[in-house]
Amino acid sequence: MKRRLLFGKRLFCYNEPKEAEVMSNNATIRQHYIPQFILRNFVDVEGKISVFDKSTGKRFKCTPYNSACENHFYDFSLNIENEEHSTTFEQAFSAVENLVAPIFARIVENNELKINTVEKQRVSEFLWLQFARTKCMRGHVREILHEIQAKTNMNDALNPYSRMDPDNLDENDIKIIHSGFILGSQSFANSFYNLRWGLVSTVKNRPFFLSDHPVFMMTRLKNIYHVGFEKLGTEFCFPIAPTLMLKMMEVNTVNYFKFELRNLNKTKYFGEEVEMIKFLQCLNDEKAFLCSDKECEFINKAQVVNSEKFLYSCKNDFFLAETFLKQCSEYKNPLRVTMRL
């Protein structure tokens, strides 16, 4: 039997029990919203990850198995013909992770972005899943529904959102809607595929942070206030190791920077402009570009802003995050309103 969940303008469809698997006795209890193959890249010599809770300022260490996870995070119950069915998407996510883990391992080992079109498509699908599957995104479900209701015709009897009260959804409802959003919006995987991809590297003594929302968006343009797909100036970032990050940009953003840089007096380039010139050159040769201390700091601050609650590092050094949060304390709040459609 095919069931349908509607989210936005897309329908999330699945056949029971193939895509949304009915839970069995050996179902996974501890479910990660960042896969362990990424987390393992950020361990120290003891095999532990240093964790910083930006809401409390506390630090502690965890194994990858105990990091970025929650019991039954992707499990929910569906009422089908007056019968309750326990359902999970954990296995579906694990299948995607198994396909892309060797690709990321090769990128990290060789320090270069040499992948074929099939591999790029698989990584693109993973990037969307990673972007959408986190606790941060689940926390925005009510916020997104409020935004949709504000922008759609609520008098339309066929509009499913006219019958929803975002403030009275229980945890299971939130999980269902979140799952529909993840698996019903695969066009976003194509959006990732169409970005221009490059690698940014740093040195071991100033590593990139990872966070509980690791695929994040940032901009360095002063007059841009919203980021996203097809938004000028948006840079998509994903640290895949302490010294290596995948960075992606829309073609129009790449062309914008190229145009702006051509119009500058080359004898008066500032540090930020030099960084962008070097990165644009790396888009063509697949090699990683080594960023400066200032650029690494800029990227890590953006990771602090985009994280929900936790930052991860191979070093127990979160001085940059602590200093930044003292200046911008609003980013300590995991419940702050950040999502706009």
Side-chain angles (χ1 to χ4, degrees):
M1 180 183 300
K2 180 174 283 190
R3 314 300 299 181
R4 303 195 300 172
L5 298 172
L6 196 148
F7 189 93
K9 295 182 180 179
R10 299 183 59 83
L11 283 171
F12 157 49
C13 302
Y14 61 89
N15 295 305
E16 303 142 1
K18 293 181 180 178
E19 295 178 34
E21 298 186 21
V22 175
M23 292 175 60
S24 60
N25 292 332
N26 61 351
T28 303
I29 295 175
R30 181 162 301 183
Q31 300 170 357
H32 290 78
Y33 42 88
I34 302 176
Q36 292 186 76
F37 79 84
I38 292 292
L39 292 168
R40 291 189 193 103
N41 291 341
F42 289 82
V43 299
D44 57 20
V45 293
E46 299 175 344
K48 299 285 186 69
I49 301 172
S50 292
V51 186
F52 176 70
D53 183 337
K54 70 176 187 178
S55 65
T56 64
K58 293 182 179 179
R59 304 184 191 191
F60 53 95
K61 288 192 175 186
C62 276
T63 62
Y65 179 72
N66 290 319
S67 302
C69 62
E70 189 172 298
N71 289 348
H72 303 291
F73 187 66
Y74 298 114
D75 301 342
F76 55 90
S77 177
L78 284 175
N79 188 301
I80 303 172
E81 296 179 350
N82 297 320
E83 291 185 11
E84 291 294 323
H85 294 263
S86 295
T87 309
T88 183
F89 284 102
E90 173 69 12
Q91 286 83 1
F93 296 152
S94 296
V96 175
E97 293 166 13
N98 291 336
L99 288 174
V100 300
I103 303 173
F104 280 106
R106 191 180 71 237
I107 293 171
V108 172
E109 181 180 1
N110 297 333
N111 207 41
E112 64 179 13
L113 190 60
K114 190 174 288 185
I115 57 176
N116 59 41
T117 55
V118 173
E119 290 174 329
K120 186 176 181 181
Q121 185 62 52
R122 287 176 176 172
V123 173
S124 298
E125 292 169 358
F126 168 79
L127 289 171
W128 165 246
L129 289 177
Q130 182 57 76
F131 179 79
R133 69 190 281 188
T134 62
K135 287 191 70 176
C136 180
M137 287 299 291
R138 181 173 292 177
H140 287 309
V141 166
R142 288 187 177 88
E143 191 178 327
I144 292 171
L145 288 177
H146 276 300
E147 287 281 312
I148 292 173
Q149 289 184 344
K151 295 181 179 182
T152 57
N153 181 9
M154 300 311 294
N155 295 320
D156 184 354
L158 298 178
N159 186 342
Y161 303 111
S162 64
R163 300 184 297 275
M164 281 188 185
D165 183 355
D167 297 319
N168 285 321
L169 297 172
D170 62 26
E171 182 181 357
N172 192 68
D173 292 332
I174 294 291
K175 285 186 173 185
I176 292 173
I177 296 170
H178 183 216
S179 298
F181 179 46
I182 295 170
L183 299 184
S185 303
Q186 284 299 293
S187 63
F188 287 114
N190 294 330
S191 297
F192 274 110
Y193 183 90
N194 292 328
L195 298 174
R196 294 292 306 276
W197 294 18
L199 287 177
V200 179
S201 65
T202 184
V203 294
K204 289 183 178 180
N205 63 350
R206 50 173 170 82
F208 294 126
F209 291 152
L210 187 70
S211 87
D212 51 11
H213 189 62
V215 179
F216 65 97
M217 298 176 286
M218 68 179 194
T219 184
R220 63 188 73 237
L221 300 184
K222 302 296 188 292
N223 58 338
I224 300 295
Y225 302 102
H226 298 290
V227 293
F229 289 108
E230 300 182 359
K231 299 287 187 181
L232 182 65
T234 299
E235 301 172 36
F236 297 82
C237 304
F238 179 33
I240 59 177
T243 59
L244 201 62
M245 183 185 76
L246 178 62
K247 184 156 86 166
M248 300 152 284
M249 293 190 293
E250 299 274 4
V251 173
N252 67 338
T253 297
V254 172
N255 292 337
Y256 170 84
F257 282 121
K258 286 181 177 179
F259 178 79
E260 290 296 311
L261 292 169
R262 279 198 300 268
N263 291 337
L264 289 172
N265 184 334
K266 293 183 180 180
T267 63
K268 295 183 180 180
Y269 279 146
F270 297 103
E272 212 171 85
E273 291 151 359
V274 172
E275 297 281 347
M276 187 53 63
I277 291 171
K278 291 179 179 178
F279 174 72
L280 294 177
Q281 291 171 343
C282 289
L283 289 175
N284 299 319
D285 62 16
E286 300 174 342
K287 296 290 184 181
F289 127 72
L290 180 62
C291 71
S292 66
D293 289 357
K294 186 175 181 180
E295 178 72 3
C296 183
E297 179 179 313
F298 180 74
I299 292 167
N300 279 339
K301 284 181 178 178
Q303 184 74 287
V304 174
V305 169
N306 283 275
S307 62
E308 186 209 25
K309 187 176 182 182
F310 295 112
L311 296 170
Y312 309 102
S313 178
C314 62
K315 296 178 65 177
N316 190 24
D317 181 3
F318 296 98
F319 178 76
L320 172 67
E322 291 168 332
T323 303
F324 177 70
L325 291 169
K326 284 180 181 178
Q327 299 168 346
C328 305
S329 59
E330 66 271 22
Y331 295 120
K332 292 181 179 181
N333 178 15
L335 300 178
R336 67 189 187 282
V337 176
T338 58
M339 185 65 65
R340 287 291 180 267
L341 299 179

